[in-house]
Amino acid sequence: MTIQYINTTEKLDALCRQIAKEPWIAMDTEFLREKTYYPQFCLLQIATPDWVACVDPLALPDLGKLFDVIYRPDIIKVLHSSRQDLEILYQLTGKVPGPIFDTQIAAPLLGFQENPGYAMLVSSFLNINLSKAHTRTDWTVRPLSEAQIQYAADDVIYLCKIYQIMCEQLEKLGRLHWLDNDFKQLNDTELYQISPANAWLKIKGKNKLTGRQLSIVQALSEWRESTAQSVNKPRNWLVRDDMLLELAKLQPANVAELAKVRGINERLVNRYGRVICDLINQAKQRPPIPLHEKGRPPKKTQQQEAVLDVLTAVVRIRAEENSLNPIVLATRKDLEKLIFGENDVPLLHGWRYTMVGEELQCLLDGCCSLNLSKENVVINKS
């Protein structure tokens, strides 16, 4: 299959006409974000069973026509582990294309583990071992070699084949539309919005801080995230997480004290020292945002442990019947949440609820009973 390399407006127009005729396309992106806060969009690969193209966004002045056709709701976009690809498209357009079919999300319905890697699917479905020759390619450098372009194109060529096989197998099992709601959730734009005010939630070790220290970490994390976004640099290039914690404990009151902190970046002190100290002094005067850490689940009684074992057995039975990995259906923590009446459990939604969640609820509510023999377990509805 000849790879179309799209680096002129004329070629892009022709590609858009091709895409418009298709019911679905496989997509992948190449990007770089080692030196930037936002991923730098370097290449877009698109394929169908009949053709494949690599679009060079660095060579094209305007991708508006391409986005218009890609975002058409009558064209399914097939991706693997789509979150980062969709994040790039959201940042470029402010929208997320739909509908989406994510092969990573769909794979567990065919017996794979949760979140399988792309190489695993290629190997399992196509008996091909992916090359790692260009894993560390700097995709911003031009011109791209033929080997680099082939490497990038192979991802969507194989993705097309995997999608077709998956659809055929899911259709035979009656599971093709089980994930419709899961895929719709990928179009929620909140997934791709990064709020500086919530940046502190990702700081490890925050739960060991005092109230004043936590308030400082919250203020500095929000400032760091906003600044990293505005200058488009990785947040850790400004201040590392461990340094945020150190500053919260030492609480330097002025630039001179800040400069004495071991490991502090001199450039950071010169450029942002006064701002950092002002934030620290202000944060010391106000209470922190409550952690709202989820407490440890209540200690289970022996009877509850026995109930948990019974639910686990039912999950294993239903998983075996449907050729699924039991963990894909429910983890032990999911079952614990169910026992303690929590609602935020995958078992209570979508295909998991249909396959086993409703049944487990019936057991807990006393609407079902178990009959045991030496060979099997039978669930009877009252």
Side-chain angles (χ1 to χ4, degrees), residues 25-56:
I25 54 174
M27 291 172 45
D28 188 29
T29 62
E30 303 297 344
F31 58 89
L32 213 64
R33 72 186 314 166
E34 282 87 350
K35 299 178 181 179
T36 58
Y37 181 90
Y38 297 105
Q40 186 175 358
F41 184 30
C42 300
L43 201 67
L44 173 63
Q45 305 96 281
I46 305 174
T48 71
D50 301 316
W51 55 264
V52 60
C54 290
V55 180
D56 187 349

Side-chain angles (χ1 to χ4, degrees), residues 110-130:
L110 295 173
F112 288 88
Q113 66 186 38
E114 197 86 32
N115 300 320
Y118 183 61
M120 176 188 290
L121 296 190
V122 173
S123 176
S124 298
F125 283 114
L126 307 177
N127 196 29
I128 293 172
N129 294 321
L130 286 179

Side-chain angles (χ1 to χ4, degrees), residues 279-308:
L279 288 168
I280 291 172
N281 291 326
Q282 292 166 17
K284 285 161 61 176
Q285 307 305 317
R286 61 173 180 263
I289 302 168
L291 274 171
H292 292 307
E293 292 276 352
K294 292 184 178 180
R296 291 183 179 181
K299 186 176 181 180
K300 296 181 291 297
T301 66
Q302 288 299 315
Q303 289 295 321
Q304 288 172 325
E305 289 283 4
V307 171
L308 189 57

